[in-house]
Amino acid sequence: MARKVGIYTRISRDDEGDALGVARQQQDCERLADLRSWQVVKVYEDNDVSAFKRNVVRDEFELMLKDLRAGLIDGVVAYDLDRLARQPRDLERLIEIFDERPRSEFATVTNDVNLGTPDGRTMARIMVAFANKASHDASRRTKRKHLELAQQGKDSGGPAPYGWRKDDRTKVDPEAARAIREAQQEILAGVRIGTIRTRWQEQGLGNPRAGTKRMAHHHVEHILTNPRLVGYRTYHGEILTDSNGEPVKGVWEPLNTVAEWEAVCAAIAERKQERQGKSLARKYLLSGIARCGLCKTKIRGQVNARWKPDSKAAKFTYQCSVVNGGCGKVGRTGEPVDRLIAELVLEEQREKAAARGVPVEQQWPREAELEAIQADIGQLLQAERSKQITVSTLLQLLPAKERERDELKLERARFYKDQKQAAAQEAAGALSLAEFFDLPIERQQEIVLHSLSAVIIHPAGRGRRIFDPSLVDPVWR
């Protein structure tokens, strides 16, 4: 009976995503298996996956080890030993399995290494050690090259970040830029990143390399707060600075102004700090805003038990719940309450907007002060380089200047965040009722909470009754 083997293929980088490299490896491994009369029962493919980086988990490699240990396959065929392992610990895990199952087969296209013999294992260990050193050397050279490119404001290659054109990563992609700006405005208006992520996933935005994969929350957050948006060059996740302490500017077109970018970053950071560990997801407009008219406990929306949730006729109610510490005696059909509150809030905000007139965008008043501090830092660094002051003197003077600079930058970010959030709130006065209910639920709640601190729902008595607006009491700010 032919021995059942698995083929393992891997390539570290596949920028195009076409998997041609692993396909060539598979063809060569299949020919070798045919020559040895082995039956290929499974191909384990790790495309665009490093075997050198310690924090990378190779899913197919782990599955292959598991199948080999369980006896589901009788051996492994790979193009080269370094496709399987570039870290000695990975090789030792494979050797351990061959110790447990000494009749297992092993072959590579480029070498004849037998992991079933002591000499073969020694040779394999030497080969992996050299492959590991080669990876270390390549990594060191690559890091030095990337640092040099970063200091020049150039990209390091790879796929174009979302927001820039694939064929010319220095040019902004108009469609992606529009999606990013709209999402940033939503963030400033109170919309959750999770809501934006869901919409982007449905529309195929934000992740051109993984259209079928579920986007991660942190991936969307990175897109919306990436320093590249304002032209800043980063290195290992930090904004790179030049010899004068100024951010290194990239060679690409910026997508945001510094004020816009800082406002979005500040809004996201503030939300994390204020609502850490709390779910921001809401399904009904007045959940957590409405309160019982009898016991004043917060009321939340829920689907009426008499209706099927998937029915077109399904209704929801705002119900005081004993489970949440309430009296359980007040409940009201939700839709007319939502409509009433939305009409009142929009009308109130239209009146306020008309009284205020067109808002004027102001510049942060301490911009000149920040520029002066940054100039002082640059002069200190230049003085140390020209030997006008010692390193010891520099380190005595520099930290205080840097703290002052960072405090001013934080104040500027908050200023523009508040200004742009106020501008987003001003726009609510121009919404129609239909446009209001088309907004994400978080945005609807932000508009309501800008005008109201609570909505008191009073009991209506027993039996069916016509909706009475007087029993819904908005508490204005």
Side-chain angles (χ1 to χ4, degrees), residues 45-95:
E45 179 185 301
D46 280 321
N47 187 44
D48 200 18
V49 179
S50 171
F52 174 68
K53 297 178 181 177
R54 291 179 177 271
N55 61 337
V56 173
V57 176
R58 291 184 284 160
D59 294 333
E60 289 294 292
F61 177 76
E62 297 298 329
L63 179 60
M64 180 199 70
L65 294 183
K66 183 178 179 180
D67 290 348
L68 188 62
R69 189 184 297 274
L72 299 179
I73 55 176
D74 299 319
V76 177
V77 179
Y79 183 79
D80 192 274
L81 186 61
D82 66 4
R83 297 302 88 197
L84 277 165
R86 277 186 173 266
Q87 289 290 355
R89 60 178 182 174
D90 288 336
L91 176 64
E92 294 304 324
R93 294 169 65 198
L94 188 60
I95 288 175

Side-chain angles (χ1 to χ4, degrees), residues 169-231:
R169 55 190 295 138
T170 65
K171 302 294 184 183
V172 169
D173 179 346
E175 181 181 350
R178 184 166 54 253
I180 290 173
R181 291 191 185 103
E182 288 176 355
Q184 289 176 328
Q185 291 301 314
E186 289 181 313
I187 290 293
L188 292 170
V191 178
R192 295 184 309 122
I193 289 179
T195 300
I196 297 169
R197 178 188 65 184
T198 300
R199 189 182 74 248
W200 276 14
Q201 185 71 31
E202 293 171 351
Q203 296 175 353
L205 302 173
N207 197 349
R209 294 192 67 205
T212 59
K213 295 181 181 178
R214 187 174 182 272
M215 293 177 65
H217 181 282
H218 67 83
H219 178 74
V220 179
E221 180 180 324
H222 173 72
I223 290 176
L224 300 180
T225 60
N226 190 351
R228 181 186 173 93
L229 294 170
V230 290

Side-chain angles (χ1 to χ4, degrees), residues 407-425:
E407 289 172 1
L408 286 171
K409 282 188 173 183
L410 182 59
E411 182 182 319
R412 181 177 66 178
R414 287 172 178 158
F415 175 86
Y416 285 120
K417 173 191 71 71
D418 293 341
Q419 185 181 86
K420 292 184 179 301
Q421 284 181 331
Q425 195 60 47

Side-chain angles (χ1 to χ4, degrees), residues 332-349:
R332 192 63 45 79
T333 302
E335 289 182 5
V337 176
D338 283 0
R339 181 172 291 273
L340 171 65
I341 293 301
E343 289 174 346
L344 293 173
V345 165
L346 292 177
E347 180 60 30
E348 191 255 359
Q349 294 191 14

Side-chain angles (χ1 to χ4, degrees), residues 93-112:
R93 294 169 65 198
L94 188 60
I95 288 175
E96 182 181 330
I97 296 175
F98 274 81
D99 274 337
E100 297 172 0
R101 304 185 66 243
R103 295 188 65 252
S104 298
E105 305 288 357
F106 181 81
T108 61
V109 174
T110 56
N111 298 289
D112 188 14

